[in-house]
Amino acid sequence: EIVLTQSPGTLSLSPGERAILSCRASQSVSSSYLAWYQQKPGQAPRLLIYGASGRASGIPDRFSGSGSGTDFTLTINGLEPQDFAVYYCQLSGSSPAALTFGGGTKVEIK
Amino acid sequence: QLQLQESGPGLVKPSETLSLTCTVSGDSISSSTDYWGWIRQPPGKGLEWIGSISYSGSTQYTPPLKSRVTMSVETSKNQFSLRLTSVTAADTAVYYCARHHRRFFEWSLSAELVWFDPWGQGTLVTVSS
């Protein structure tokens, strides 16, 4: 079973700053299987990034994903007020046991 | 625009069975080879995938819950359902349904379940006597 560890747990930033969120897998994985979601309070998660770097439909280009192997990053350039939320990474794979979510990173207003 | 809506009892007694239905609108469940999934989130905690089902009834369940989970699909109503037996307080959560995308990878010569999009708004199910 692969474990996804997200860091930091909380990121305190000001609007306009850059957020860099990390998602680390306990063993090497295919980047094709890595996705990122945004969740605001009281709302369902929303897909941001698929296949580690593909931007989902309607997602602004200030959101970008990168990485390979065990280390993946979600970058938000120029934080806007609506970007303060919790972000989750998610891994899938060739078996049901491979599907897992990271613990989340909260991006809060400093 | 594809939309999903969960429905079902908000309160279930311990040891009983949790039953939820997801109604899909804006597209037919049968229109693609994508699956349809359930994910839950205990209050204040992270996300846990429960399982997913295809329009033809093929299922994949997360191993920790496999013995208690049954999913079904009713294409005529454009719905799919979740049953979770022998619930305890640990099953208290917001339950989401979502489209579970499936992608073919040439390097593995197989189609794999990947990301979830879109999601329903979620429904809170509390397990309590």
Side-chain angles (χ1 to χ4, degrees), chain A residues 30 32-35 37 39 42-47 49-51 56 88 90 92-97 99 101-103, chain B residues 39 41 45-49 52 60-63 96 100-101 105 107-108 110 112-117 119-122:
Chain A
S30 168
S32 299
Y33 293 141
L34 200 286
Y37 301 85
Q39 186 178 34
Q43 296 185 17
R46 176 175 70 145
L47 178 69
I49 301 290
Y50 61 89
Y88 293 96
Q90 177 237 321
S92 56
S94 58
S95 79
L99 204 158
F101 289 89
Chain B
I39 306 100
Q41 185 174 37
K45 296 189 177 180
L47 300 163
E48 179 184 27
W49 173 63
S52 300
Q60 291 196 21
Y61 301 140
T62 187
Y96 297 100
H100 197 170
H101 289 251
F105 295 110
W107 45 267
S108 68
S110 63
E112 314 290 0
L113 293 176
V114 284
W115 45 87
F116 299 95
D117 180 55
W119 297 54
Q121 66 184 29

Side-chain angles (χ1 to χ4, degrees), chain B residues 51-65:
Chain B
S52 300
I53 188 168
S54 72
Y55 77 89
S56 62
S58 297
T59 55
Q60 291 196 21
Y61 301 140
T62 187
L65 296 175

Side-chain angles (χ1 to χ4, degrees), chain B residues 2 10-11 21 23-25 31 34 42 52-53 55 57 65-66 68 72 80 83 94 106 125:
Chain B
L2 186 70
L11 182 64
T21 296
T23 301
V24 178
S25 59
S31 67
D34 289 339
S52 300
I53 188 168
Y55 77 89
L65 296 175
K66 189 174 182 178
R68 297 197 291 132
S72 59
F80 61 102
R83 291 182 75 249
V94 175
E106 290 187 4
V125 179

Side-chain angles (χ1 to χ4, degrees), chain B residues 64-77:
Chain B
L65 296 175
K66 189 174 182 178
S67 63
R68 297 197 291 132
V69 172
T70 303
M71 292 184 183
S72 59
V73 62
E74 193 160 356
T75 54
S76 62
K77 294 184 177 180

